[in-house]
């Protein structure tokens, strides 16, 4: 059974930093892209970032480019999201997800339970 | 900036059929965007329903179906049940590693 477990969320001041982690199990981690998706309170889902299997290619939502960095450690079956220069509008539940990327398939197929990030003074 | 549009809300009677749509503010949705659909109930993580326009994810009942209708992707629920009352999101894959969510549709079953 695939499991994705996020950690590292919490309260941070505007301009601050936070590092989210997602530990994956039940899958051949090196085979898959991984993603972060967020949801602001009372709002819809928003894709944030993708990372390819090897980690050398990352893709970002325009509003987080230059502030957020997605990375992965395939030896630890983990994916990370470094959040810098945080703003109030980054307040959200952040979900880790597995992204299926292959011929004729591009979608999120497994999701973690999410971790709350609150940016406030 | 690519904007994916969905109806903000919809209602359906128990046992009825409802079709939710997913469009582009500028342009048409085709299978080349690999539309996918997700269900989310309050306080829960999303659940994957449909991918690649019309393929049901494992364990999803066959009363959920996906298609392209005109210039939009569509999710049809046939024989709606009370526990289908949820938020539904579509996602379009733009290529180059970029995905975009629609704003979501809040479905009420009453």
């Amino acid at each position: 059974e695939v499991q994705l477990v996020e950690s590292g969320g919490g309260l941070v001041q505007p301009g601050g930093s936070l590092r989210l982690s997602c530990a994956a199990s039940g899958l051949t981690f090196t085979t898959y892209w991984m993603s972060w998706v967020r949801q602001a309170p009372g709002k819809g889902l928003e894709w944030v970032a993708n990372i390819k299997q090897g980690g050398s290619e990352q893709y970002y939502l325009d509003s987080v480019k230059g502030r957020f960095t997605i990375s992965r450690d395939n030896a630890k079956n983990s994916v990370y999201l470094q959040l810098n220069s945080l703003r109030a509008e980054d307040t959200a539940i952040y979900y880790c997800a597995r992204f299926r990327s292959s011929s004729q398939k591009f979608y999120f197929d497994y999701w973690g339970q999410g971790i709350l990030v609150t940016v406030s003074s | 900036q690519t904007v994916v549009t969905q109806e903000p809300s919809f209602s359906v009677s128990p046992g009825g059929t409802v079709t939710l749509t997913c469009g582009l503010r500028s342009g048409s949705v085709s299978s080349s965007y690999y539309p996918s659909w997700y269900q989310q109930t309050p306080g829960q993580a999303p659940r994957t329903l449909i991918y690649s326009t019309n393929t049901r994810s494992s364990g999803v009942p066959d009363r959920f179906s996906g298609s392209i209708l005109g210039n939009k992707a569509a999710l049809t629920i046939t024989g709606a049940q009370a526990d289908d009352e949820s938020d539904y999101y579509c996602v379009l894959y733009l290529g180059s590693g970029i995905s975009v969510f629609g704003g979501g549709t809040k479905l009420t079953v009453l």
Side-chain angles (χ1 to χ4, degrees):
Chain A
E1 179 191 4
V2 174
Q3 286 196 323
L4 302 172
V5 180
E6 302 93 340
S7 60
L11 174 64
V12 61
Q13 293 188 336
S17 297
L18 212 54
R19 189 196 196 207
L20 306 183
S21 300
C22 171
S25 60
L27 72 165
T28 306
F29 187 71
T30 55
T31 306
Y32 299 99
W33 290 35
M34 296 298 294
S35 304
W36 289 95
V37 173
R38 70 183 178 182
Q39 186 169 36
K43 302 296 184 182
L45 297 166
E46 181 176 52
W47 170 77
V48 173
N50 279 349
I51 187 167
K52 279 190 164 181
Q53 293 93 330
S56 61
E57 294 184 55
Q58 309 96 33
Y59 310 94
Y60 297 97
L61 177 68
D62 281 349
S63 63
V64 308
K65 280 181 185 175
R67 299 190 300 122
F68 292 6
T69 302
I70 187 172
S71 62
R72 63 192 293 162
D73 185 335
N74 286 342
K76 295 183 178 179
N77 283 8
S78 293
V79 61
Y80 309 98
L81 188 67
Q82 178 69 40
L83 294 74
N84 296 333
S85 303
L86 281 161
R87 307 165 180 168
E89 56 265 35
D90 296 317
T91 294
I93 295 172
Y94 284 74
Y95 294 99
C96 172
R98 188 175 84 172
F99 187 73
R100 294 297 299 271
S101 172
S102 63
S103 177
Q104 307 302 312
K105 294 179 184 177
F106 296 92
Y107 70 106
F108 308 98
D109 64 347
Y110 285 96
W111 299 78
Q113 280 305 302
I115 192 80
L116 178 62
V117 172
T118 303
V119 184
S120 175
S121 54
Chain B
Q1 182 185 357
T2 301
V3 176
V4 177
T5 61
Q6 294 184 247
E7 299 88 358
S9 62
F10 230 116
S11 63
V12 62
S13 300
T17 297
V18 63
T19 297
L20 311 182
T21 67
C22 173
L24 284 169
R25 182 175 293 177
S26 298
S28 299
V29 176
S30 68
S31 58
S32 299
Y33 284 98
Y34 304 97
S36 53
W37 292 89
Y38 306 84
Q39 178 191 49
Q40 188 184 37
T41 53
Q44 299 296 314
R47 170 196 182 198
T48 305
L49 295 176
I50 300 285
Y51 63 92
S52 299
T53 303
N54 57 14
T55 303
R56 273 185 298 277
S57 189
S58 177
V60 174
D62 61 6
R63 53 200 182 77
F64 291 91
S65 62
S67 64
I68 298 291
L69 290 179
N71 62 350
K72 296 182 179 183
L75 173 70
T76 299
I77 307 172
T78 304
Q81 300 179 1
D83 61 4
D84 294 335
E85 187 161 293
S86 301
D87 295 325
Y88 292 85
Y89 295 91
C90 71
V91 173
L92 301 181
Y93 182 67
L94 304 187
S96 301
I98 308 295
S99 295
V100 180
F101 280 83
T105 297
K106 183 177 182 63
L107 180 67
T108 301
V109 180
L110 52 73

